[in-house]
Amino acid sequence: MRIGNIDLGNRPVFLAPMEDVTDIGFRRLCKRFGASMVYTEFVSAEALVRDVKTTLRKLSISDDERPVGIQIYGRDIEAMVEAARMVEQAGPDLIDLNFGCPVKKVAGKGAGAGMLQNIPKMLEITQRVVEAVSLPVTVKTRLGWNHDQLIITELAPQLQQCGIKALTIHGRTRSQMYTGEADWTLIGEVKHNPAMTIPVIGNGDIHSLEEADQAFDRYGVDGVMIGRATFGCPWLFSRQQFSFNEKLDILEELLRINVEMIDEPRGIIHTRRHLAATPIFKGIPNFRQTRIAMLRAERMDDLLAILEDTRQLLG
């Protein structure tokens, strides 16, 4: 599979862009364990053009995570175009347009999945961004706004005509948010439409590489993207089996990378999200107080000590 000049090999598996999750440390580890491509946290176009420092920091990427995409979202056409130009200067391998985020603070304001209620504007943004940058531009969206508006089969060729180089489809509507089951049948319909010549990437309810394999076999997609199942599990992209100690080593490395690449307070906050979500601590008896201490730790040395105590407890 190729996106523009980016060769992603056969059956590539992607790390989805996720707010407060896909920071640089997590992306680097996912890439090391086999992610074919990773994405930054999604970036607000409006905040970017206003030079908001916390947003500008999200543009930081490293060569050892390539190929890497930067995803932007917004509802203003000129802001999206200007943000895309700014993102291009940061040097990613592609720019992705977020037309799929369902959360109220994004979609409720007409951005993200909110664009599914204004298709002409979505297509104009896409066309204008494609024309404004030389990098490959891709789109991530959903099946439609709700089950009465399942428009993806008609929308996909229109987005392709705008010049995008790949399309990722999350198999839910905006109204579903992240509930219910992802419907991959429409993703498969888009892929098998003879008019579609760009890669189609499926997303939704994939929890393992084995499930990704089934999606490739069943729906014929060119790529599979994994999102929430990766929380606290950067090793998910590897077919290797890891012991508890090995997984704990990886999470400790995530902490060190985040502290080094961001700073201690925010690096710890970013890592806590993964420690809270990782399944490796599930089923440990009388672990509640340790978990609370872990999620309250404010210094790296204190957090590492708690993790090491946990290792010894289970050793």
Side-chain angles (χ1 to χ4, degrees), residues 99 116 118-124 126-127 130 139 151-164 167 190 193 195-198:
F99 298 139
L116 289 163
N118 192 342
I119 299 305
K121 191 173 186 181
M122 178 196 289
L123 296 175
E124 184 175 357
T126 305
Q127 182 93 47
V130 167
V139 162
I151 62 172
I152 191 61
T153 53
E154 297 83 21
L155 176 61
Q158 293 176 286
L159 287 167
Q160 177 178 262
Q161 288 174 356
C162 292
I164 64 171
L167 174 64
V190 172
N193 180 350
M196 293 297 295
T197 59
I198 61 173

Side-chain angles (χ1 to χ4, degrees), residues 17-54:
M18 293 174 284
E19 177 71 2
D20 295 330
V21 175
T22 53
D23 52 58
I24 192 167
F26 188 62
R27 298 195 309 265
R28 286 170 63 178
L29 287 174
C30 289
K31 181 63 182 177
R32 183 198 305 170
F33 289 112
S36 303
M37 186 163 181
V38 299
Y39 294 78
T40 64
E41 302 171 74
F42 58 75
V43 177
S44 164
E46 285 80 2
L48 199 58
V49 298
R50 293 199 313 267
D51 289 332
V52 176
K53 288 184 179 179
T54 53

Side-chain angles (χ1 to χ4, degrees), residues 98-114:
N98 180 324
F99 298 139
C101 179
V103 300
K104 186 175 181 179
K105 68 177 183 179
V106 176
K109 295 179 180 178

Side-chain angles (χ1 to χ4, degrees), residues 15-207:
L15 171 66
M18 293 174 284
E19 177 71 2
D20 295 330
V21 175
T22 53
D23 52 58
I24 192 167
F26 188 62
R27 298 195 309 265
R28 286 170 63 178
L29 287 174
C30 289
K31 181 63 182 177
R32 183 198 305 170
F33 289 112
S36 303
M37 186 163 181
V38 299
Y39 294 78
T40 64
E41 302 171 74
F42 58 75
V43 177
S44 164
E46 285 80 2
L48 199 58
V49 298
R50 293 199 313 267
D51 289 332
V52 176
K53 288 184 179 179
T54 53
T55 301
L56 290 169
R57 278 196 291 262
K58 293 180 180 179
L59 301 186
S60 178
I61 56 178
S62 63
D63 285 339
D64 58 358
E65 59 177 311
R66 293 187 185 279
V68 57
I70 295 180
Q71 187 188 70
I72 60 174
Y73 73 94
R75 62 181 179 180
D76 181 79
I77 296 170
E78 298 305 326
M80 287 288 281
V81 170
E82 181 59 27
R85 292 192 180 109
M86 294 175 68
V87 165
E88 186 168 37
Q89 296 306 307
D93 296 283
L94 62 77
I95 297 171
D96 191 66
L97 305 183
N98 180 324
F99 298 139
C101 179
V103 300
K104 186 175 181 179
K105 68 177 183 179
V106 176
K109 295 179 180 178
M115 281 290 167
L116 289 163
Q117 293 189 300
N118 192 342
I119 299 305
K121 191 173 186 181
M122 178 196 289
L123 296 175
E124 184 175 357
I125 287 174
T126 305
Q127 182 93 47
R128 291 281 303 281
V129 169
V130 167
E131 292 170 352
V133 298
S134 59
L135 287 174
V137 176
T138 60
V139 162
K140 186 170 190 281
T141 190
R142 289 184 169 230
L143 303 179
W145 181 256
N146 56 39
H147 282 286
D148 294 325
Q149 301 175 25
L150 297 175
I151 62 172
I152 191 61
T153 53
E154 297 83 21
L155 176 61
Q158 293 176 286
L159 287 167
Q160 177 178 262
Q161 288 174 356
C162 292
I164 64 171
K165 300 302 183 184
L167 174 64
T168 301
I169 305 169
H170 183 111
R172 288 182 172 86
T173 64
R174 188 274 172 176
S175 63
Q176 282 182 275
M177 302 292 286
Y178 297 103
T179 62
E181 292 184 4
D183 179 3
W184 278 70
T185 57
L186 289 178
I187 301 175
E189 281 188 34
V190 172
K191 172 56 194 171
H192 291 105
N193 180 350
M196 293 297 295
T197 59
I198 61 173
V200 174
I201 302 159
N203 174 225
D205 292 350
I206 302 295
H207 304 94

